[in-house]
Amino acid sequence: MKSIQYLEENKQKFLNELFDLLRIPSVSADSKFKGDVRKAAEFLKANFEKIGADAVEICETAGHPIVYAEKIIDPSKPTILVYGHYDVQPADPYELWDSPPFEPVLKNERIYARGACDDKGQMFMHVKAFEAMMANNELACNVKFMIEGEEEVGSDNLGLFVEQNREKLKSDVILISDTSIISNDHPSITVGLRGLSYFQIEVTGPNRDLHSGVYGGAVGNPINTLCDMISSLTDDKGRITIPGFYDKVAELTAAERTELNKAPFDLNEYKEDLGIKEIKGEDSYTTLERVGIRPTLDVNGIWGGYTGEGAKTVLPSKAYAKISTRLVPDQEHTEITQLVKNHLESIAPDYVKVKVTPHHGGNPAVTPTDSKGYAAASAAYEKAWGKRPIPTRDGGSIPIVALFSNVLKVDSVLMGMGLDIDAIHSPNESYGLFNYYKGIETIVWFHQYFSK
Amino acid sequence: MKSIQYLEENKQKFLNELFDLLRIPSVSADSKFKGDVRKAAEFLKANFEKIGADAVEICETAGHPIVYAEKIIDPSKPTILVYGHYDVQPADPYELWDSPPFEPVLKNERIYARGACDDKGQMFMHVKAFEAMMANNELACNVKFMIEGEEEVGSDNLGLFVEQNREKLKSDVILISDTSIISNDHPSITVGLRGLSYFQIEVTGPNRDLHSGVYGGAVGNPINTLCDMISSLTDDKGRITIPGFYDKVAELTAAERTELNKAPFDLNEYKEDLGIKEIKGEDSYTTLERVGIRPTLDVNGIWGGYTGEGAKTVLPSKAYAKISTRLVPDQEHTEITQLVKNHLESIAPDYVKVKVTPHHGGNPAVTPTDSKGYAAASAAYEKAWGKRPIPTRDGGSIPIVALFSNVLKVDSVLMGMGLDIDAIHSPNESYGLFNYYKGIETIVWFHQYFSK
């Protein structure tokens, strides 16, 4: 195909453009980057217009804007809706980066920058595949793009946008590249994603910081109390103790579990890569099951008292933690958030005040493997990678997948191209050059197969 | 006495000079204030020289310097060694201060500033009492001053200084104003102080921050683990679970406990002042006992993961806590530090690495009530306050009291003038104008009675 040829000839240009996008610190979680988030949206708008998209628009929301673009070549042809996000996770701790997070560099065939993989790199593959097909009159399907700027903070305003634009977003499949494959030797398609319930807890003891000598032992310490509460949320079998938490968890059949555990996985490599002596998780489940089909609870951040240099003998007034649970079918995130909130408030001892603030959440999703979209994706991977992809369950969350199937009644296909070593959400996030280009090629083939 | 008259006439001057000292941010814990700590030492040196002290010297140590000054009027007269410190606790959280911590202000007869009470205000009372007596030829005893700059970080270098200067520091009593009285209606003398063992714990899980979705549930989370470990250090009776921790705790007799509980204390006022619904402490001990004669364990600070604005779904690589235990006779701080370190390392699960770094410590101390020094102090309070002071056990730690009795073989008298409402170590630390002036007067009387 000419489009594939075009890709070969424009590799350097496609890389330079991605670097320009990565240089924009579009951190959606931190308000001081608000202007940069918009810059990233404007960058995309300009690029879409340049490569021949129609109806290009920066759609305002209550938060960060959504970039929309489309190309309708023939209403009788199938329509692909591409979803992605141009916002990125905060880059801190900055001191752990080998090179500045927003100054992309190429090192041993890998692109290092915040957002290199999640999701600028993967989202931009669709834009460049579109460019290649447009430039060579090989666009085989109608295509629509919906690229948001709030995925890393819970897509709070996407739901309303989707509901208000059902017509505009009408499509036959939703294509998303925001997940990983097992390895470059084992391409895979994510068919299951976990949901999320994220909240912050604030524990208040005395009305002011106290001298830990004068009051220590006689007044409840909010940090100790927060630790007690957090510790009580899981038992020694690695199970979450919140009443009702597991009620709606769909148990897989023995056959399904066997199938799931067929995915290539080497525990020793896994431990070595993470530098840990032992793994930790829920009893009687494998690592693949623990991240794939089981819900979890993790503290994502904790702080309180004196955290500076040296020592301060303080009994602090407040302690805080950010906690999230990953959810699996058929758990419902608003329901879980309420369960957690009620539970934490109910176990709060009377010598402290506890405030639980729900942050954001999303529902788990399972995508079908018997759809036309999955078949086209499977064929596209096989064509580009020379190997039939394996269906997998991922631990991460893309809440909008559930939203799309509920509101738009359209199934998503998760055509991820990332690898675990990409270290998304971590310092030194990277994306393989091979994956970037191979991803563009795979997308071109998907359009071909889906148009049939 | 003319000295008392002189105090009356110089109140404003004495206040202005204290304000000048309070304006120097001599935070010993934070290296970026190193220069200011020295400034405070130089301020004292200059003041001592101005008011007629001899042998004034800034004595270098491996850390912050010690200011020495003396006046030997007659070798046959008793000698008083005054100990105090010119360094202060860190002032953060700054945002909770009603006025900048290092810009002292006078509000409803109280001095607001970091160090207003602890210990600049209380230490400076001795300097001004000395000035008053010198100016009026009423100095009745020889006096030596040893004012250090590392009390808030564990007095690491004082021990060596004391051992190397036994002769120079020869005295009949050591006078220290760095404690509180029950109330201005109930002057009291601290006869018991708790010891301290302060350490930092670092828990390391994976070798990098991870995506809590991709790895959550399969990899040990260092924050959750730290919370588990901290929570396990105390049981539901409020007792510390570290093996051997209580072995050397001296139990008081029923009679002693009755005596101790005679001190005026109103639990409702206490709770109201702190804004708490309930108190928390070791079972079957009163609040006065919990802070006076029982050891404790408090987390003074905790941090790990994402603590910024918004949400970050990270499974962090590391989590930290600063923890301190308050010790009572006959616990030995180095022994306890070793017990705690061993225990924490022994309970560390194999999916994390745990590093415990001892910070600083000091031994508990009990001072005699049948000494000449105590008698003089008691008489001085009665003269100045019109009430006989009550002997009390304080929760705080002044490790050097034990050091002095061991190395110098001299007993200390803790002539504190502070109040609990002074909020030392907290935002909006303050010191009563009444206590500042009354303290100076009390010290003048002490010199008189002790010279007899």
Side-chain angles (χ1 to χ4, degrees):
Chain A
M1 274 182 80
K2 294 211 248 62
S3 301
I4 306 297
Q5 184 55 37
Y6 180 92
L7 162 60
E8 282 307 318
E9 291 155 359
N10 289 275
K11 278 184 165 176
Q12 190 55 51
K13 168 178 174 294
F14 285 3
L15 185 62
N16 296 344
E17 291 176 348
L18 175 58
F19 271 36
D20 291 339
L21 177 57
L22 291 171
R23 283 190 192 95
I24 307 169
S26 49
V27 178
S28 50
D30 189 338
S31 51
K32 75 170 177 291
F33 291 102
K34 197 167 186 304
D36 297 300
V37 175
R38 176 163 295 270
K39 256 200 221 108
E42 280 155 0
F43 173 95
L44 283 175
K45 178 170 184 284
N47 199 269
F48 275 125
E49 283 164 344
K50 196 158 111 235
I51 61 181
D54 301 330
V56 185
E57 185 186 356
I58 290 183
C59 310
E60 299 304 333
T61 75
H64 300 301
I66 293 163
V67 179
Y68 180 84
E70 66 175 34
K71 190 74 190 181
I72 308 300
I73 50 168
D74 175 350
S76 71
K77 286 202 184 302
T79 300
I80 299 168
L81 172 59
V82 174
Y83 164 84
H85 64 95
Y86 63 83
D87 64 320
V88 298
Q89 278 275 316
D92 49 334
Y94 280 72
E95 65 274 16
L96 296 186
W97 285 77
D98 299 333
S99 55
F102 298 108
E103 295 171 25
V105 292
L106 196 64
K107 223 164 38 182
N108 0 326
E109 299 295 293
R110 301 190 63 77
I111 304 158
Y112 285 86
R114 167 59 81 231
C117 170
D118 179 16
D119 184 45
K120 285 174 174 172
Q122 295 214 58
M123 171 271 292
F124 206 58
M125 297 185 307
H126 291 271
V127 184
K128 295 300 102 180
F130 174 72
E131 173 181 335
M133 294 183 284
M134 284 291 288
N136 299 281
N137 293 308
E138 290 181 339
L139 195 63
C141 301
N142 304 309
V143 57
K144 298 175 176 180
F145 292 89
M146 172 172 59
I147 315 298
E148 74 157 318
E150 300 189 305
E151 199 274 344
E152 300 294 3
V153 289
S155 306
D156 289 345
N157 298 294
L158 188 68
L160 185 64
F161 178 82
V162 169
E163 277 167 23
Q164 291 176 337
N165 293 278
R166 282 201 177 77
E167 257 322 297
K168 181 182 194 157
L169 299 174
K170 215 163 173 311
S171 60
D172 303 290
V173 70
I174 296 167
L175 207 50
I176 304 173
S177 295
D178 196 15
T179 51
S180 304
I181 55 176
I182 294 166
S183 77
N184 285 345
D185 301 329
H186 298 91
S188 53
I189 299 176
T190 302
V191 296
L193 284 163
R194 291 196 286 192
L196 179 75
S197 166
Y198 198 111
F199 45 90
Q200 183 162 316
I201 174 168
E202 172 189 301
V203 178
T204 305
N207 52 17
R208 60 181 187 270
D209 284 3
L210 302 176
H211 185 299
S212 69
V214 178
Y215 292 91
V219 177
N221 180 323
I223 301 179
N224 291 74
T225 308
L226 178 59
C227 291
D228 292 341
M229 293 176 70
I230 288 171
S231 185
S232 77
L233 296 178
T234 46
D235 65 18
D236 54 8
K237 293 184 167 38
R239 282 181 65 89
I240 294 148
T241 58
I242 298 161
F245 186 81
Y246 290 97
D247 288 0
K248 297 198 173 167
V249 172
E251 297 288 343
L252 269 65
T253 64
E256 289 173 305
R257 289 178 65 174
T258 314
E259 189 55 36
L260 184 149
N261 283 299
K262 277 192 186 144
F265 175 77
D266 183 319
L267 185 56
N268 290 329
E269 276 176 22
Y270 187 78
K271 289 193 282 189
E272 199 169 308
D273 169 47
L274 299 175
I276 51 176
K277 262 218 310 295
E278 261 317 323
I279 51 170
K280 160 103 160 57
E282 187 178 358
D283 283 5
S284 62
Y285 288 96
T286 65
T287 295
L288 287 175
E289 290 170 337
R290 286 165 174 176
V291 298
I293 59 170
R294 301 299 297 172
T296 67
L297 182 145
D298 273 289
V299 181
N300 305 110
I302 192 166
W303 68 104
Y306 183 67
T307 59
E309 189 189 338
K312 185 165 189 262
T313 50
V314 61
L315 194 165
S317 171
K318 288 175 182 291
Y320 305 82
K322 293 176 191 275
I323 303 177
S324 63
T325 62
R326 295 282 168 172
L327 312 177
V328 299
D330 302 312
Q331 290 177 297
E332 207 285 314
H333 76 93
T334 55
E335 205 174 296
I336 293 294
T337 299
Q338 199 52 52
L339 277 182
V340 176
K341 190 177 191 307
N342 296 346
H343 179 68
L344 285 171
E345 285 164 357
S346 73
I347 63 171
D350 52 9
Y351 45 83
V352 296
K353 293 185 210 71
V354 168
K355 188 171 138 218
V356 179
T357 312
H359 208 298
H360 67 278
N363 283 332
V366 175
T367 58
T369 52
D370 57 2
S371 66
K372 182 187 166 204
Y374 185 87
S378 184
Y381 273 100
E382 194 163 7
K383 174 82 175 176
W385 301 68
K387 277 198 179 142
R388 191 156 195 74
I390 303 162
T392 61
R393 293 273 202 124
D394 281 16
S397 304
I398 310 183
I400 40 74
V401 171
L403 171 80
F404 293 156
S405 67
N406 296 339
V407 179
L408 300 177
K409 313 290 179 218
V410 181
D411 288 324
S412 301
V413 174
L414 299 167
M415 266 178 66
M417 303 291 165
L419 296 173
D420 283 355
I421 60 163
D422 296 346
I424 62 172
H425 291 211
S426 306
N428 303 311
E429 174 179 356
S430 66
Y431 191 40
L433 213 49
F434 173 84
N435 301 66
Y436 179 55
Y437 295 133
K438 186 60 72 178
I440 298 172
E441 182 188 343
T442 311
I443 290 162
V444 170
W445 291 120
F446 178 88
H447 280 252
Q448 285 302 308
Y449 295 123
F450 195 70
S451 68
K452 301 287 176 341
Chain B
M1 270 181 82
K2 295 211 252 52
S3 302
I4 307 296
Q5 184 56 36
Y6 181 91
L7 162 59
E8 282 307 318
E9 292 155 0
N10 289 274
K11 279 184 163 173
Q12 190 55 51
K13 168 179 171 297
F14 285 3
L15 186 61
N16 296 343
E17 291 175 349
L18 175 57
F19 271 34
D20 291 340
L21 177 57
L22 291 171
R23 284 190 191 95
I24 307 170
S26 49
V27 178
S28 51
D30 190 339
S31 51
K32 74 171 178 289
F33 291 102
K34 197 167 186 302
D36 297 299
V37 176
R38 176 162 296 270
K39 257 202 219 104
E42 280 155 0
F43 174 95
L44 283 175
K45 177 169 184 285
N47 199 270
F48 274 126
E49 283 163 344
K50 194 156 112 239
I51 61 181
D54 300 329
V56 185
E57 186 186 357
I58 290 183
C59 310
E60 299 305 333
T61 74
H64 300 300
I66 293 162
V67 179
Y68 180 84
E70 66 175 35
K71 191 74 192 183
I72 309 300
I73 50 167
D74 175 351
S76 69
K77 287 202 185 300
T79 300
I80 298 168
L81 172 59
V82 174
Y83 164 83
H85 64 94
Y86 62 84
D87 64 319
V88 298
Q89 278 276 316
D92 49 336
Y94 280 74
E95 65 274 15
L96 296 186
W97 285 77
D98 299 334
S99 57
F102 298 108
E103 295 172 24
V105 292
L106 196 63
K107 223 166 37 185
N108 356 325
E109 298 295 293
R110 301 189 64 77
I111 304 157
Y112 286 86
R114 166 59 81 230
C117 170
D118 178 17
D119 182 45
K120 285 175 174 172
Q122 295 213 56
M123 173 270 293
F124 207 57
M125 297 185 308
H126 291 271
V127 184
K128 296 298 103 181
F130 174 71
E131 173 181 336
M133 294 183 284
M134 285 291 288
N136 299 280
N137 293 308
E138 288 181 340
L139 196 62
C141 301
N142 304 310
V143 57
K144 298 174 175 179
F145 292 89
M146 172 173 58
I147 315 299
E148 74 157 315
E150 299 190 304
E151 199 273 343
E152 300 294 3
V153 288
S155 306
D156 289 345
N157 299 294
L158 188 68
L160 185 65
F161 178 81
V162 169
E163 277 166 23
Q164 290 176 337
N165 294 278
R166 281 200 178 80
E167 256 323 296
K168 181 182 195 158
L169 300 174
K170 216 162 174 309
S171 60
D172 303 290
V173 69
I174 297 166
L175 207 51
I176 304 172
S177 295
D178 197 15
T179 50
S180 304
I181 56 176
I182 295 165
S183 75
N184 285 345
D185 301 328
H186 297 91
S188 53
I189 298 176
T190 302
V191 296
L193 284 162
R194 291 196 287 192
L196 179 76
S197 166
Y198 198 111
F199 45 90
Q200 183 162 316
I201 174 168
E202 172 189 301
V203 178
T204 305
N207 52 17
R208 61 182 186 270
D209 285 2
L210 302 176
H211 185 300
S212 69
V214 179
Y215 292 91
V219 177
N221 181 323
I223 301 179
N224 292 72
T225 307
L226 177 58
C227 290
D228 292 341
M229 292 175 71
I230 288 171
S231 185
S232 78
L233 296 179
T234 46
D235 66 18
D236 54 7
K237 293 184 167 38
R239 282 181 64 90
I240 293 147
T241 59
I242 298 161
F245 186 82
Y246 289 97
D247 288 0
K248 298 199 172 167
V249 172
E251 297 288 344
L252 269 64
T253 64
E256 289 174 305
R257 289 179 65 173
T258 314
E259 189 56 35
L260 184 148
N261 284 298
K262 279 192 184 143
F265 175 77
D266 183 317
L267 185 56
N268 290 330
E269 276 176 21
Y270 187 77
K271 289 193 281 189
E272 199 169 306
D273 169 48
L274 299 174
I276 52 176
K277 263 220 311 292
E278 262 316 322
I279 52 171
K280 160 104 160 59
E282 187 179 359
D283 283 7
S284 62
Y285 288 96
T286 66
T287 295
L288 287 175
E289 292 171 335
R290 287 166 173 174
V291 297
I293 59 170
R294 299 301 296 172
T296 66
L297 183 145
D298 274 289
V299 181
N300 304 109
I302 193 166
W303 69 103
Y306 183 67
T307 60
E309 189 187 337
K312 186 166 191 269
T313 50
V314 62
L315 192 166
S317 171
K318 288 175 181 291
Y320 305 82
K322 293 176 193 275
I323 303 177
S324 63
T325 62
R326 296 282 168 173
L327 312 177
V328 299
D330 302 312
Q331 291 176 297
E332 207 285 314
H333 75 94
T334 56
E335 204 173 298
I336 293 295
T337 299
Q338 198 53 51
L339 277 182
V340 176
K341 189 177 192 308
N342 296 346
H343 179 68
L344 285 171
E345 286 163 355
S346 72
I347 63 172
D350 53 9
Y351 45 84
V352 296
K353 293 184 211 73
V354 168
K355 189 171 136 217
V356 180
T357 311
H359 209 297
H360 68 278
N363 284 332
V366 176
T367 58
T369 52
D370 58 1
S371 65
K372 182 184 166 205
Y374 186 89
S378 185
Y381 274 99
E382 195 163 7
K383 175 83 174 175
W385 302 67
K387 277 196 179 148
R388 190 157 196 73
I390 303 163
T392 61
R393 293 273 201 123
D394 280 16
S397 304
I398 311 182
I400 40 73
V401 170
L403 172 79
F404 293 156
S405 68
N406 295 340
V407 179
L408 300 177
K409 313 289 180 218
V410 180
D411 287 323
S412 302
V413 175
L414 300 166
M415 268 179 64
M417 302 292 164
L419 296 174
D420 282 355
I421 59 162
D422 295 346
I424 63 172
H425 292 211
S426 306
N428 303 312
E429 175 179 355
S430 66
Y431 191 39
L433 212 49
F434 173 85
N435 300 66
Y436 179 53
Y437 294 133
K438 187 60 74 179
I440 297 172
E441 183 189 341
T442 311
I443 291 162
V444 170
W445 290 121
F446 178 87
H447 280 251
Q448 287 300 310
Y449 294 124
F450 195 69
S451 68
K452 301 288 181 332

